[in-house]
Amino acid sequence: QRHGRLRPIWSDIADVVVVDAWHTDITAGRNTIIVTDTTDLAATISAACQQRLLDTGHLTGPSVGVAADGNPVHLGDLIQTRRNTRELATSDGRRVLNRDVWRITDSTPDGALVAVHTRAGHEVTITPEYTAADVVLAYATTIAGAQGRTADRGHVLVTPQTSAQALYVGMTRGRESN
């Protein structure tokens, strides 16, 4: 706070402010992450990010599925898998892991999603059943979901429930700024 790195905002506009900051980063070509306290808030913020991408033409086309968080999934969306499984084989023989982040590149006639791992680059076909039960949008994530992820910039939505430990994780995700 002494260094001017915290931005206090009213809770009723916090989601708009964090989505604006995230969108500014995305349109500038930066890899960015939003970190929240709860899965419900992550789903709400992710939906707002997705809508911003649709409104600005960065995502186009119809929904190709519905994620476990209730959000529609479009081609180009970032998703996070939420259950380890060997049932979904990746192009290099790896298993799908909890909290892996993928970009949707295609869909199949039977409703499966084709996705590419954002770091490793391997591909997977995700069944509609797995999508409905174990996939969420990945524009915002919980503190637990952010562990191990590094981005150019991190945005942490701090609430009265945010613990010091959670704040530390959230405030150390960005290489350039948090």
Side-chain angles (χ1 to χ4, degrees):
Q1 189 171 7
R2 285 189 310 262
H3 297 286
R5 294 185 182 141
L6 298 178
R7 288 184 46 198
I9 54 176
W10 296 105
S11 60
D12 59 340
I13 63 163
D15 55 344
V16 174
V17 172
V18 76
V19 170
D20 285 348
W22 168 87
H23 190 257
T24 298
D25 286 347
I26 292 298
T27 55
R30 293 184 187 97
N31 177 3
T32 188
I33 186 173
I34 299 171
V35 182
T36 68
D37 285 329
T38 67
T39 56
D40 288 342
L41 186 54
T44 299
I45 298 296
S46 284
C49 291
Q50 181 190 61
Q51 188 59 54
R52 181 69 60 89
L53 292 173
L54 288 165
D55 291 346
T56 58
H58 290 93
L59 284 179
T60 58
S63 169
V64 292
V66 178
D69 61 7
N71 286 314
V73 178
H74 295 265
L75 293 180
D77 266 330
L78 285 181
I79 59 163
Q80 189 176 68
T81 49
R82 296 292 293 120
R83 178 175 55 90
N84 294 339
T85 184
R86 293 188 188 281
E87 297 166 10
L88 304 176
T90 65
S91 58
D92 64 351
R94 297 179 191 201
R95 66 185 177 133
V96 169
L97 298 176
N98 182 27
R99 307 234 184 252
D100 276 348
V101 178
W102 308 81
R103 184 167 305 279
I104 303 300
T105 58
D106 203 358
S107 64
T108 65
D110 66 349
L113 303 176
V114 180
V116 173
H117 195 278
T118 56
R119 283 188 297 181
H122 50 268
E123 190 174 90
V124 68
T125 300
I126 303 171
T127 64
E129 295 79 20
Y130 187 94
T131 298
D134 299 299
V135 164
V136 296
L137 289 180
Y139 301 113
T141 190
T142 62
I143 300 296
Q147 289 184 353
R149 282 179 70 182
T150 303
D152 297 330
R153 293 188 179 199
H155 302 280
V156 184
L157 195 54
V158 180
T159 70
Q161 291 75 38
T162 306
S163 68
Q165 295 86 350
L167 180 61
Y168 176 79
V169 171
M171 291 299 292
T172 57
R173 298 303 91 198
R175 283 184 289 273
E176 296 174 8
S177 68
N178 291 286

